[in-house]
Amino acid sequence: MVKLEEVEDDHFTQEQPGPKPENDDDFYTDTDSEISSDDDLPPASDETLTDRLLALRDILPPAQRRYLTSTLSTASSWAKSGLMFSGKGLWAVSTSVVFLGVPWVLAWMEEQGIVEMEKEAKMAQSANEVSLFLSVRWSSGDGRGDGRGDGMEGG
């Protein structure tokens, strides 16, 4: 069995040079306590967020600020114009579809209904003709309906 023995390094046991604190408890931190308290925060300044943002403009020289401002202004103007034009075009197309497309679709559906009714009428007429033909054929008694008899005459 292996037995472990702790060997302490003399370097870690020696006292460090420098001023000695009067009370070692001042440097002790408790990790179980609250992370921070209001007493630890630095005093609040009277500076607002707007003041801080306005102070950022001093980072760029005035010539670069003018160029950047004009470029962004031009780009936003073009984007706004493009979106406005697209919106107006989309409005024109959608209203045209509603005003012209909906009545056309309704008329087309009505036309399809009429075509279907005509097909049904033709089918009914052809069914009547077939039934009339069959009734005439079977009523003559020969099964052929041509009035010539059974085909065995005169032989």
Side-chain angles (χ1 to χ4, degrees):
M1 180 164 170
V2 178
K3 183 176 181 183
L4 295 177
E5 181 179 337
E6 182 179 357
V7 178
E8 291 187 12
D9 191 3
D10 292 334
H11 175 74
F12 292 113
T13 57
Q14 294 175 357
E15 289 190 25
Q16 295 181 356
K20 306 263 190 261
E22 295 175 10
N23 188 357
D24 285 337
D25 291 338
D26 290 342
F27 295 103
Y28 175 74
T29 58
D30 185 12
T31 57
D32 294 335
S33 66
E34 294 181 18
I35 293 179
S36 65
S37 65
D38 293 337
D39 298 337
D40 297 337
L41 295 176
S45 65
D46 294 334
E47 212 172 29
T48 63
L49 180 63
T50 307
D51 295 335
R52 288 182 178 222
L53 290 176
L54 289 175
L56 290 176
R57 69 179 177 183
D58 294 333
I59 293 174
L60 294 175
Q64 288 179 342
R65 270 187 285 174
R66 279 192 296 275
Y67 175 75
L68 184 63
T69 303
S70 67
T71 302
L72 290 175
S73 175
T74 303
S76 66
S77 174
W78 276 97
K80 183 180 176 183
S81 298
L83 289 173
M84 292 291 287
F85 181 75
S86 299
K88 289 178 181 180
L90 186 61
W91 174 257
V93 168
S94 63
T95 54
S96 297
V97 166
V98 169
F99 287 140
L100 300 174
V102 171
W104 180 81
V105 167
L106 292 174
W108 180 76
M109 288 174 58
E110 186 178 345
E111 177 81 19
Q112 291 298 316
I114 292 171
V115 168
E116 289 295 322
M117 286 173 44
E118 288 175 356
K119 283 182 182 179
E120 289 176 8
K122 284 181 182 179
M123 287 173 53
Q125 183 181 6
S126 63
N128 285 339
E129 289 175 0
V130 168
S131 66
L132 180 64
F133 175 73
L134 290 176
S135 66
V136 167
R137 183 174 178 185
W138 291 108
S139 65
S140 65
D142 62 356
R144 291 190 336 202
D146 58 359
R148 291 188 302 170
D150 61 357
M152 300 270 187
E153 298 176 18

